[in-house]
Amino acid sequence: MDVVSPELNSLLPDEIMDTEAIEDIPQSQPDSTTARPEPSADTSVPMETDTPVAASENLSLCLDTSSTGHTQAVTTSLTTDSTFSITPVSQLPVSISSTSSPRFTLKPAMATSTATTKTTDSLTGTSVTTSGLQKLSAPFTISAANHQIILNKVASAQASEAAKAAGMQPQIIKQDGQKLLVTAIGKSGQPIVLQLPHTGSKPGVSLAAGDNKSAAPQYKVVTIGGRTELKPMMATAGNQLTTLQAQQLKAVQIAKKTPTSSAAPIKFIITKTVNSKGLNPQTSVSPVIAGRVLTQTSPVLPTRTITLTESHNTSIQSIAGKKIAISPLKTPSKVTVVSVASPTSNTSGKSVTLPVNVALGQQILAVQQSTSASPVKVATSQATSQNMKPVQSVAVGGVSGAQFKTIIPLATQPNVQQIQVPGSRFHYVRLVTATTASSTGQPSGPSTSSIQTAKPMVVSTGAVRMSVPIVPAQTMKQVAPKPLTSASVVTTTQTQQRLIMPATPLPQIQPNFTNLPPGTVLAPAPGGGNMGYAVVPAQYVTQIQQSPFVTLASGSGFAANTGVQTQAKLPLNGLSTADSTSRQRKPCNCTKSQCLKLYCDCFANGEFCSNCNCNNCFNNLEHETERLKAIKTCLDRNPEAFKPKIGKGKEGESDRRHSKGCNCKRSGCLKNYCECYEAKIMCSSICKCIGCKNFEESPERKTLMHLADAAEVRVQQQTAAKTKLSSQISDLLMRTTPVISSGSGRLPYTFVTKEVLEATCECLLEQAKKAEQTHQHQHQHQHQHQHQAEAERMILEEFGHCLMRIINSAGKAKADCASINC
DNA sequence: GAGTTTGAAACT
DNA sequence: CAGTTTCAAACTC
């Protein structure tokens, strides 16, 4: 079932990948999206399955994209029994060979002119050689009943063409009705279908290309690298294709670029699905991932495992401080792309488990792991109630500079799938149609999780293991997001259906996802139902999160919600997430632009106006139609209008520069009029400014910097002083303020008690009496007024003495109390 | 806070 | 693409 138009599918991969984190990757390189050069330390995200069915079975996917980029091959070398490792290499020919041992090597290569397939099936091992398609060699034992893993090799466009010419058919290795599809979504798109044995203990893989007769074949598509089309796989799948379409395959592209030789942790990237330009609807059929545990490690290196596992319980699983929560969707729908930062702390041999509960029919477009070390949590939410509308939420830990997009297919029934990524600029929420829940015909009671029926498939390959729990699509009925404990994780446990965006299809507005600002609504796929995509600003995601039980008006738009909108905490001009989150965007003051032009900072930043001072603001959901038109207009004028102007430098701020350069004439680029100066970056050669003083050696700039630094230091000092003083005052108050204790009325550290007061008064009275007596006996001749003055003096002195005694007593009591730590 | 300056965005 | 206008932020007083 096509829920998204082919155009959208073709756009999605790039869209998804359009994040700041990936901006550094040259588009020219085919594998740039999937495999990015990363520090070795950041490249691995080990993940473990919570409950691997077969411990002996491990599947490790080691993807290494060649620097050349055009050719990307996946080589799976079998080192030990029941180990499955896939190492992408720059090899075009595809050969699947298995030795006597259960080794399975997959080497997706660029398609060659010949499309020959060699299949060897043995109990101990299976070798499949497919020239012109892929070469897969890896020892493996795959046990997942009725589960398939599709790994798409990554190939260049040329390769894909050649593969097409060669009649690329997915290599199907079928064993006991189990299917493993190894395919590279993207460039070459040569899918390899491996039919997985029901029992994982049996090594070896039987290869049967195009032969799939499993009663209820369920496919798991894992795409490694590649940005190009997926359609070859689908188109050439033969009956497999039909089955796949029927099963509504969902593909998860795992892009990883890590030198196999380096001992650095492997970076695990689950990224966008196929970049399917020209992808036909059939090919665009999203592969279904019922559940999976992926362990990705480098075969040569210490064990690095990335495990995508389907948890059986609703509890959130956090591994290595990263969690990705993916809520399965009842109905097959488009893919959600999530960028996930890889933890830097990951070390070899360290495993990270990504619980992924994905019901069949649900789609995950891409999960991208960025390079930042910020913790990321991936959790899969699962439906708890049948009647509940599936809400799919993906929470990704904040990644500096990384942008995350959640694409929400619009549906007539507003099912909300939301992704929150702290620090990301764009938040896309997926609207999922909840229509097929009952269609499955299976009775689903509340708190019924299809995942419970999932059977994790574990493929063990030495240090690497991959377990993929697979859940039949029929079992998946409802999806409820799991509560996420991490601050970076969105916690949405609401069971209510929520509509984030108006479901009204806007076919005229289909801007490139790459540049889509939040709020963009993409037209539903032609003939694909009412499914569309909506890009929702972060603040709305936040809003939803904050008020999970608030149901927004569906269909007819949204009720006035500006009041509940929260400021999105988004990176600005490449600043770190922390910086962006530490402050809120300034409210705009637009008066004439209706906040629908780039004059408006809110609009330009892809945010809805919130708490602004603007007049006649249309930058809100109430005027979504106008807003969308304005977005389209801006994009037509400048496709990169909503991209950050300040590109993120490769290695820090030194490389940051304005994408267009400034045009200052009178400010000397030393005032905030200058966008470069405002972004605290130097003007570059692309600037067209006149009289620029914003360069490294500029004395004026240095002076300003010094002044600014001094001012900043001063402010910090003042702030610190205030904070300290406040703290001291607070502490003092805490210590000296009477704390009413229950009952007695005596107050600790309060020494002017009733008794003290009475005693003081008695002293004063006694002093007064004494003064009176003195006057009567000794100074009768004095005047009355003199007597009064003397009496007052004596009383005051006595009062002073009393006070001194009180203070001394208090001090002594305090000291005594401190000595006993009271 | 009002008025001015400035440069990006929008327009022609 | 260049020139002009519009616009809102930055800045000054």
PDB file of all heavy atoms in Angstrom, chain A residues 412-424:
ATOM      1  N   THR A 412      -6.485  11.047   7.526  1.00  0.00           N
ATOM      2  CA  THR A 412      -7.804  11.538   7.883  1.00  0.00           C
ATOM      3  C   THR A 412      -8.025  11.393   9.374  1.00  0.00           C
ATOM      4  O   THR A 412      -8.595  12.242  10.013  1.00  0.00           O
ATOM      5  CB  THR A 412      -8.862  10.735   7.136  1.00  0.00           C
ATOM      6  OG1 THR A 412      -8.652   9.353   7.434  1.00  0.00           O
ATOM      7  CG2 THR A 412      -8.736  10.972   5.647  1.00  0.00           C
ATOM      8  N   GLN A 413      -7.559  10.307   9.871  1.00  0.00           N
ATOM      9  CA  GLN A 413      -7.623  10.186  11.306  1.00  0.00           C
ATOM     10  C   GLN A 413      -6.295  10.630  11.870  1.00  0.00           C
ATOM     11  O   GLN A 413      -5.243  10.130  11.511  1.00  0.00           O
ATOM     12  CB  GLN A 413      -7.888   8.735  11.710  1.00  0.00           C
ATOM     13  CG  GLN A 413      -9.301   8.315  11.381  1.00  0.00           C
ATOM     14  CD  GLN A 413      -9.531   6.899  11.812  1.00  0.00           C
ATOM     15  OE1 GLN A 413      -8.599   6.193  12.155  1.00  0.00           O
ATOM     16  NE2 GLN A 413     -10.775   6.492  11.796  1.00  0.00           N
ATOM     17  N   PRO A 414      -6.352  11.546  12.704  1.00  0.00           N
ATOM     18  CA  PRO A 414      -5.106  12.151  13.176  1.00  0.00           C
ATOM     19  C   PRO A 414      -4.385  11.259  14.160  1.00  0.00           C
ATOM     20  O   PRO A 414      -4.660  11.276  15.329  1.00  0.00           O
ATOM     21  CB  PRO A 414      -5.589  13.438  13.837  1.00  0.00           C
ATOM     22  CG  PRO A 414      -6.961  13.099  14.299  1.00  0.00           C
ATOM     23  CD  PRO A 414      -7.530  12.117  13.316  1.00  0.00           C
ATOM     24  N   ASN A 415      -3.490  10.521  13.644  1.00  0.00           N
ATOM     25  CA  ASN A 415      -2.599   9.814  14.544  1.00  0.00           C
ATOM     26  C   ASN A 415      -1.291  10.553  14.548  1.00  0.00           C
ATOM     27  O   ASN A 415      -0.767  10.901  13.520  1.00  0.00           O
ATOM     28  CB  ASN A 415      -2.383   8.391  14.077  1.00  0.00           C
ATOM     29  CG  ASN A 415      -3.648   7.600  14.245  1.00  0.00           C
ATOM     30  OD1 ASN A 415      -4.391   7.833  15.166  1.00  0.00           O
ATOM     31  ND2 ASN A 415      -3.890   6.693  13.335  1.00  0.00           N
ATOM     32  N   VAL A 416      -0.797  10.731  15.655  1.00  0.00           N
ATOM     33  CA  VAL A 416       0.383  11.577  15.768  1.00  0.00           C
ATOM     34  C   VAL A 416       1.592  10.736  16.060  1.00  0.00           C
ATOM     35  O   VAL A 416       1.602   9.920  16.962  1.00  0.00           O
ATOM     36  CB  VAL A 416       0.204  12.599  16.890  1.00  0.00           C
ATOM     37  CG1 VAL A 416       1.483  13.393  17.056  1.00  0.00           C
ATOM     38  CG2 VAL A 416      -0.956  13.494  16.559  1.00  0.00           C
ATOM     39  N   GLN A 417       2.562  10.949  15.285  1.00  0.00           N
ATOM     40  CA  GLN A 417       3.842  10.337  15.557  1.00  0.00           C
ATOM     41  C   GLN A 417       4.837  11.447  15.695  1.00  0.00           C
ATOM     42  O   GLN A 417       5.062  12.219  14.785  1.00  0.00           O
ATOM     43  CB  GLN A 417       4.225   9.423  14.410  1.00  0.00           C
ATOM     44  CG  GLN A 417       5.532   8.719  14.635  1.00  0.00           C
ATOM     45  CD  GLN A 417       5.795   7.767  13.521  1.00  0.00           C
ATOM     46  OE1 GLN A 417       5.024   7.689  12.589  1.00  0.00           O
ATOM     47  NE2 GLN A 417       6.876   7.045  13.611  1.00  0.00           N
ATOM     48  N   GLN A 418       5.399  11.543  16.778  1.00  0.00           N
ATOM     49  CA  GLN A 418       6.204  12.718  17.024  1.00  0.00           C
ATOM     50  C   GLN A 418       7.615  12.329  17.379  1.00  0.00           C
ATOM     51  O   GLN A 418       7.873  11.308  17.976  1.00  0.00           O
ATOM     52  CB  GLN A 418       5.607  13.545  18.160  1.00  0.00           C
ATOM     53  CG  GLN A 418       5.437  12.739  19.419  1.00  0.00           C
ATOM     54  CD  GLN A 418       4.745  13.545  20.449  1.00  0.00           C
ATOM     55  OE1 GLN A 418       4.678  14.741  20.332  1.00  0.00           O
ATOM     56  NE2 GLN A 418       4.231  12.909  21.451  1.00  0.00           N
ATOM     57  N   ILE A 419       8.470  13.190  17.003  1.00  0.00           N
ATOM     58  CA  ILE A 419       9.870  13.003  17.326  1.00  0.00           C
ATOM     59  C   ILE A 419      10.381  14.278  17.936  1.00  0.00           C
ATOM     60  O   ILE A 419      10.248  15.338  17.356  1.00  0.00           O
ATOM     61  CB  ILE A 419      10.678  12.660  16.078  1.00  0.00           C
ATOM     62  CG1 ILE A 419      10.236  11.299  15.562  1.00  0.00           C
ATOM     63  CG2 ILE A 419      12.150  12.661  16.388  1.00  0.00           C
ATOM     64  CD1 ILE A 419      10.838  10.952  14.258  1.00  0.00           C
ATOM     65  N   GLN A 420      10.908  14.138  19.035  1.00  0.00           N
ATOM     66  CA  GLN A 420      11.510  15.306  19.640  1.00  0.00           C
ATOM     67  C   GLN A 420      12.995  15.121  19.691  1.00  0.00           C
ATOM     68  O   GLN A 420      13.499  14.144  20.179  1.00  0.00           O
ATOM     69  CB  GLN A 420      11.016  15.519  21.064  1.00  0.00           C
ATOM     70  CG  GLN A 420      11.659  16.757  21.666  1.00  0.00           C
ATOM     71  CD  GLN A 420      11.246  16.938  23.094  1.00  0.00           C
ATOM     72  OE1 GLN A 420      10.619  16.066  23.671  1.00  0.00           O
ATOM     73  NE2 GLN A 420      11.606  18.050  23.666  1.00  0.00           N
ATOM     74  N   VAL A 421      13.651  16.075  19.209  1.00  0.00           N
ATOM     75  CA  VAL A 421      15.102  16.050  19.280  1.00  0.00           C
ATOM     76  C   VAL A 421      15.560  17.352  19.880  1.00  0.00           C
ATOM     77  O   VAL A 421      15.476  18.377  19.231  1.00  0.00           O
ATOM     78  CB  VAL A 421      15.711  15.879  17.904  1.00  0.00           C
ATOM     79  CG1 VAL A 421      17.210  15.916  18.013  1.00  0.00           C
ATOM     80  CG2 VAL A 421      15.235  14.580  17.299  1.00  0.00           C
ATOM     81  N   PRO A 422      15.991  17.309  21.048  1.00  0.00           N
ATOM     82  CA  PRO A 422      16.472  18.548  21.648  1.00  0.00           C
ATOM     83  C   PRO A 422      17.604  19.124  20.825  1.00  0.00           C
ATOM     84  O   PRO A 422      18.514  18.415  20.436  1.00  0.00           O
ATOM     85  CB  PRO A 422      16.967  18.114  23.026  1.00  0.00           C
ATOM     86  CG  PRO A 422      16.241  16.846  23.285  1.00  0.00           C
ATOM     87  CD  PRO A 422      16.036  16.192  21.944  1.00  0.00           C
ATOM     88  N   GLY A 423      17.490  20.346  20.590  1.00  0.00           N
ATOM     89  CA  GLY A 423      18.533  21.001  19.834  1.00  0.00           C
ATOM     90  C   GLY A 423      18.316  20.970  18.352  1.00  0.00           C
ATOM     91  O   GLY A 423      18.994  21.664  17.616  1.00  0.00           O
ATOM     92  N   SER A 424      17.424  20.199  17.939  1.00  0.00           N
ATOM     93  CA  SER A 424      17.216  20.160  16.517  1.00  0.00           C
ATOM     94  C   SER A 424      16.341  21.313  16.090  1.00  0.00           C
ATOM     95  O   SER A 424      15.532  21.822  16.845  1.00  0.00           O
ATOM     96  CB  SER A 424      16.560  18.861  16.118  1.00  0.00           C
ATOM     97  OG  SER A 424      15.242  18.869  16.564  1.00  0.00           O
TER      98      SER A 424
END
